Amino acid sequence: FGKQRGRNYLQLNGRNQYAVVEGHIIDTASVTFDFWLWWEGGANEQFVFTFASQDGALMFAPANKSDRAALVLRKGKLVQLVEASRPVPRRRWVRVTVTLGNDLGRIFFDGKLVGEGKITLKPEDINAKFGYLGRGLRGGYFNGRLSNFAVFRKAFDSVSEIPSAEEIVKTVKGKKVPD
């Protein structure tokens, strides 16, 4: 863990560090992942997150074999992919937003759309049993920092629609909580 200019983050070394999260958080028809990323670079096919089951996976890489950020969904032998026009920028904080819903996958860097494509698989089709932050299924450890990782069970059309962390904290079960 670390802190930089008021930002708390999870530091991952790209060799053997990762966090385990519940897979069922993506058991939904549509989803948005929203997070801040500092990628140190290194080998392509490092994974920021992976949610998987025995025969499926949903993964995000800051750069794939083609040196483009990519969202990959796999169910059995069916593989679907959304690529950005470029990799996640290195050695600076970047807000990354990934949305899946209505047969469309989108990737945003700092609020700007950088990749979009048809995705017919839904997150719930994966039937994820587990999740990782900072690695893929067979390694692919992420080298960098991850901050404010949020998962929404909805595909937002734009980054401006996503509620701030402050708005989320103030809302409990649909009711506003006093300051």
Side-chain angles (χ1 to χ4, degrees), residues 12-173:
L12 299 161
N13 66 13
R15 293 185 308 274
N16 58 10
Q17 295 176 331
Y18 62 96
V20 177
V21 295
E22 294 287 335
H24 68 82
I25 63 175
I26 68 157
D27 189 19
T28 182
S30 58
V31 68
T32 296
F33 298 94
D34 188 48
F35 52 93
W36 286 88
L37 198 64
W38 177 291
W39 183 34
E40 290 292 341
N44 289 358
E45 296 205 317
Q46 297 175 32
F47 293 92
V48 177
F49 61 79
T50 301
F51 293 91
S53 63
Q54 194 169 15
D55 70 337
L58 184 156
M59 304 175 285
F60 178 78
N64 62 10
K65 289 179 182 176
S66 302
D67 200 33
R68 296 174 180 205
L71 175 70
V72 180
L73 279 85
R74 180 182 57 79
K75 178 71 173 174
K77 293 182 180 183
L78 177 62
V79 177
Q80 296 182 339
L81 167 79
V82 174
E83 285 185 318
S85 57
R86 62 187 183 274
V88 171
R90 292 161 176 84
R91 294 185 185 92
R92 73 172 180 87
W93 285 109
V94 179
R95 182 179 182 186
V96 178
T97 307
V98 178
T99 66
L100 278 171
N102 301 318
D103 293 337
L104 188 64
R106 292 181 174 142
I107 301 171
F108 298 85
F109 295 164
D110 293 325
K112 294 183 176 116
L113 183 66
V114 294
E116 182 176 67
K118 184 172 177 73
I119 295 280
T120 58
L121 284 171
K122 295 175 177 54
E124 64 192 358
D125 295 337
I126 305 304
N127 194 25
K129 303 297 182 197
F130 60 91
Y132 298 130
L133 298 180
R135 69 165 288 183
L137 291 173
R138 296 177 194 92
Y141 293 93
F142 177 72
N143 184 18
R145 304 169 192 160
L146 179 62
S147 182
N148 292 36
F149 187 84
V151 180
F152 300 91
R153 296 168 71 94
K154 171 184 179 170
F156 291 99
D157 291 324
S158 71
V159 175
S160 64
E161 294 177 10
I162 299 172
S164 70
E166 183 178 270
E167 291 170 315
I168 295 166
V169 169
K170 288 182 178 182
T171 305
V172 177
K173 294 184 180 178

